Amino acid sequence: MLDLQSAKGEKIARTIENFMTLDLTGVGLIGKIYEALQSRQPGPACMTAAKLICDRVRDHGGPIVIATGFPEGAGVPETDGPVGAALMARAFFLGLGVETIILTDNDWVEMMIGTCRGAGLSPLPFPESGVIQSVEFIRPVYIRSVPKDDAGCRQITDSLLDVTRPSLIISIERPGRNDRGVYHGLGGRPLDGLVADLDQFFLRAKSKGVPFVAIGDGGNELGMGVIAEELKAFSPKAKDSGHPGRGGVAAATAADHLIVSNVSNWGATGLIAALSALLEKPSIFHDGELERRCIEQCVSFGGVDGMFMGPEPAVDGISATEWAGLVTTLRNTLERLAGRVVGWKGDSGDWRQLK
């Protein structure tokens, strides 16, 4: 396992953070969001999360629950979130040997199944007993869906906590209710009736001592209550959504540990990269082509890009081809930092300081 206190470990952790804070979309918020997070939660967010997850799984086993799904117009889900969830599930299985349950709304199941297949996973039926058992010779993932009504949603999520008993819960690009209990898009758009209330699930899990990791990019995502007050000072709609009586878009529920990035899927990539580096297992970190395929599958099965608002193979306005290049660049950078490079004579190892 990588020594996080060594110069090499610190450099790898910092490099991943530097990639996360690139303003790839040009929105202009990530720098201030990251500064706000550092004021509340100092240190490398991705690597710290990877260590937390490793320690928790080592002590408690699996499974892990990941909640995702964010509605665009007509309630159609965007590509940011599901792709990251599927690829994290892959990484957790390959790196830690634990199964993942992806939690989403009833009307987004088909999209989530297709996205998981794009990530190289085999979606299996959620067991009637609610207990996840290991299955040999398959790379599994489970989709658990909830209705949008509060009572129906709570019945399923209560069973997840009491029967399935996850060791860890993660949210990625999932709407988070504000301090008035309502949901919004980042620009202030009300999401009433478009999304199930999963805040109650995460709050109950926290009360039972289940660690909660969140990934977000704007401030209205579940878990970003960690920096809710700071967001109100600089994010345009964090304090006031523009709709009288509804308050701002800043999410109120705080994660135990928060990762922020310019795009939430990119934050998932950072966590996967950190887990791969920490365990010194390169196979955990997918390549760019798998990222591209996963995005395309998400779109083919019902997802839409959150910038183009249509079934374009893109995430937040950045094409799947470009994402493939970014993933490849981060992956190759970390390989070089780890010393896994080939010298001019074909020898492995970091030879650059010898010339």
Side-chain angles (χ1 to χ4, degrees):
M1 184 172 285
L2 179 67
D3 180 2
L4 298 181
Q5 305 306 313
S6 68
K8 176 181 173 181
E10 290 179 354
K11 189 172 185 179
I12 288 173
R14 175 48 51 194
T15 297
I16 294 171
E17 296 297 292
N18 290 342
F19 270 85
M20 294 302 101
T21 54
L22 292 172
D23 191 9
L24 300 167
T25 61
V27 171
L29 280 178
I30 186 57
K32 291 181 178 179
I33 288 175
Y34 190 76
E35 288 176 7
L37 178 61
Q38 287 298 302
S39 72
R40 294 278 185 174
Q41 180 192 286
C46 292
M47 189 61 79
T48 303
K51 182 67 164 58
L52 183 158
I53 292 167
C54 283
D55 291 347
R56 181 68 178 181
V57 169
R58 180 194 62 209
D59 295 340
H60 295 270
I64 294 172
V65 169
I66 304 176
T68 194
F70 203 112
E72 298 298 349
V76 177
E78 67 165 317
T79 52
D80 194 19
V83 170
L87 290 167
M88 282 192 290
R90 173 188 180 275
F92 296 151
F93 185 77
L94 292 180
L96 302 171
V98 294
E99 295 82 8
T100 294
I101 301 152
I102 297 180
L103 183 62
T104 195
D105 298 51
N106 281 345
D107 47 341
W108 301 336
V109 170
E110 183 179 2
M111 175 276 300
M112 201 65 248
I113 289 174
T115 305
C116 287
R117 287 179 177 151
L121 299 173
S122 294
L124 299 181
F126 189 81
E128 291 185 9
S129 67
V131 178
I132 303 298
Q133 303 283 355
S134 295
V135 180
E136 293 292 324
F137 309 117
I138 197 73
R139 196 180 289 169
V141 67
Y142 299 88
I143 315 298
R144 189 67 169 133
S145 66
V146 293
K148 299 190 191 297
D149 69 280
D150 289 347
C153 176
R154 187 180 292 269
Q155 181 179 5
I156 290 170
T157 57
D158 281 352
S159 178
L160 267 181
L161 282 178
D162 299 334
V163 180
T164 310
R165 302 181 65 183
S167 62
L168 183 86
I169 53 173
I170 299 173
S171 65
I172 174 170
E173 193 65 18
R174 178 74 196 184
R177 64 190 184 197
N178 68 2
D179 52 12
R180 300 194 184 188
V182 292
Y183 294 94
H184 298 90
L186 186 59
R189 171 174 57 102
L191 300 181
D192 301 352
L194 296 178
V195 63
D197 175 17
L198 291 184
D199 280 69
Q200 52 79 22
F201 166 68
F202 281 83
L203 288 169
R204 182 165 178 246
K206 280 188 68 174
S207 73
K208 292 171 70 71
V210 181
F212 170 19
V213 176
I215 303 174
D217 60 19
N220 59 323
E221 298 90 2
L222 176 57
M224 289 196 70
V226 173
I227 56 170
E229 291 308 309
E230 287 81 359
L231 284 165
K232 293 173 184 178
F234 62 82
S235 186
K237 296 293 181 70
K239 191 174 181 179
D240 182 0
S241 66
H243 297 272
R246 293 185 62 92
V249 306
T253 300
D256 295 315
H257 186 84
L258 177 62
I259 293 172
V260 298
S261 56
N262 184 231
V263 175
S264 291
N265 282 349
W266 192 226
T269 302
L271 175 55
I272 294 164
L275 184 66
S276 176
L278 179 63
L279 296 177
E280 297 182 311
K281 192 174 181 181
S283 60
I284 294 171
F285 194 175
H286 61 283
D287 61 23
E289 282 306 299
L290 193 65
E291 180 89 16
R292 179 189 57 77
R293 189 181 84 165
C294 192
I295 295 169
E296 290 174 348
Q297 282 283 99
C298 182
V299 170
S300 294
F301 283 81
V304 297
D305 174 69
M307 195 72 71
F308 298 130
M309 300 300 173
E312 300 277 353
V315 181
D316 279 5
I318 299 173
S319 72
T321 300
E322 189 173 349
W323 281 118
L326 287 163
V327 168
T328 299
T329 299
L330 175 55
R331 196 168 185 260
N332 290 347
T333 297
L334 296 181
E335 285 287 285
R336 289 186 283 269
L337 286 177
R340 290 187 287 266
V341 294
V342 178
W344 63 288
K345 287 187 175 181
D347 300 321
S348 296
D350 192 348
W351 54 273
R352 291 165 293 183
Q353 303 303 319
L354 301 178
K355 62 180 181 176

